Structure formats: C-alpha cells, structure tokens
Amino acid sequence: MTTHPCLSCGACCASFRVDFSVYESEDMGGPVPQGLVVALTEHLARMRGTDHARPRCAALTGQVGQQAACGIYEWRPSPCREFEAGSEACNRARQRHGLPALEGLV
Ligand code: SF4
Ligand code: SF4
C-alpha cells in the first residue's frame, strides 16, 4: 500500500492565493468556517494566510514536505477540491518547496 503524496506535502496550501465565491463561506450558508475567510469583494473571498508574502493557508496543519493536512478538509472551498495532484500547478508548488515533481495521478 502506498501513502498518498499529499499527506507528506501540503505545498499547494503554502504557495497560491486561494479565492472562492463568498457563497462558500459559512456566513453565506456555505461550508468554509468564517474565521478562516477573508472577505475581498461583494462576491469574492480568500482563505486566510494565502496572500502573505510567504503564503500559508491558516487551515493547513503540519509541516510542508513532511506531514501536512487540511484542518477543514470536509469544509474546504472549491479550488481546493478541484486542485489535482500531479498537475502542472501541483508540481510548481512542489518545486517551490524543494519537492520532486509527481507524475499525474488518475
Ligand atoms: S502540491 Fe500536489 S502533492 Fe502537494 S499537497 Fe498539493 S496536490 Fe498534493
Ligand atoms: S483550505 Fe485546506 S486544502 Fe485549501 S488551501 Fe487551506 S489547507 Fe489547503
């Protein structure tokens, strides 16, 4: 049995801005806990911490490249749900954190 590479990674959660519709936030009836949401505009929200000079989502637990997990996995916003391990963006994030590229996962 192999362990999923994301469990020892977390690089994407510490590389990019994570923006999503305000309707995904708790206050608007969505799943994303309000304390982790930064309101941007009337329509757009952002995961707290992802627009820092050295981005790191406030929901990320553990250490990037060692052991990492999303603290709100069941309630994470759509960009996180759609992000694909082994994609070009995934490998860019991994490279940024000194991790080797992944082959595409099915
Ligand atoms: S950068 Fe890729 S491998 Fe790492 S946690 Fe994100 S999707 Fe998974
Ligand atoms: S909400 Fe979870 S999956 Fe999305 S960026 Fe933050 S830690 Fe990563």
Side-chain angles (χ1 to χ4, degrees), residues 41-54:
T41 68
E42 196 185 336
H43 304 288
L44 211 59
R46 179 170 289 166
M47 285 309 296
R48 190 173 296 286
T50 64
D51 60 357
H52 292 176
R54 298 181 64 177

Side-chain angles (χ1 to χ4, degrees), residues 10 12-14 16 18 32 36 47-48 50 56-61 69-73 75-77 79-81:
C12 52
C13 310
F16 307 120
V18 179
V32 186
L36 293 166
M47 285 309 296
R48 190 173 296 286
T50 64
R56 182 181 166 115
C57 178
L60 183 66
T61 62
C70 175
I72 57 160
Y73 190 77
W75 303 285
R76 70 201 190 286
C80 307
R81 295 175 185 276

Side-chain angles (χ1 to χ4, degrees), residues 20-37 47 71-79 81:
F20 51 93
S21 161
V22 289
Y23 294 104
E24 294 188 54
S25 59
E26 201 175 19
D27 277 3
M28 300 291 271
V32 186
Q34 203 60 38
L36 293 166
V37 174
M47 285 309 296
I72 57 160
Y73 190 77
E74 284 172 56
W75 303 285
R76 70 201 190 286
S78 53
R81 295 175 185 276

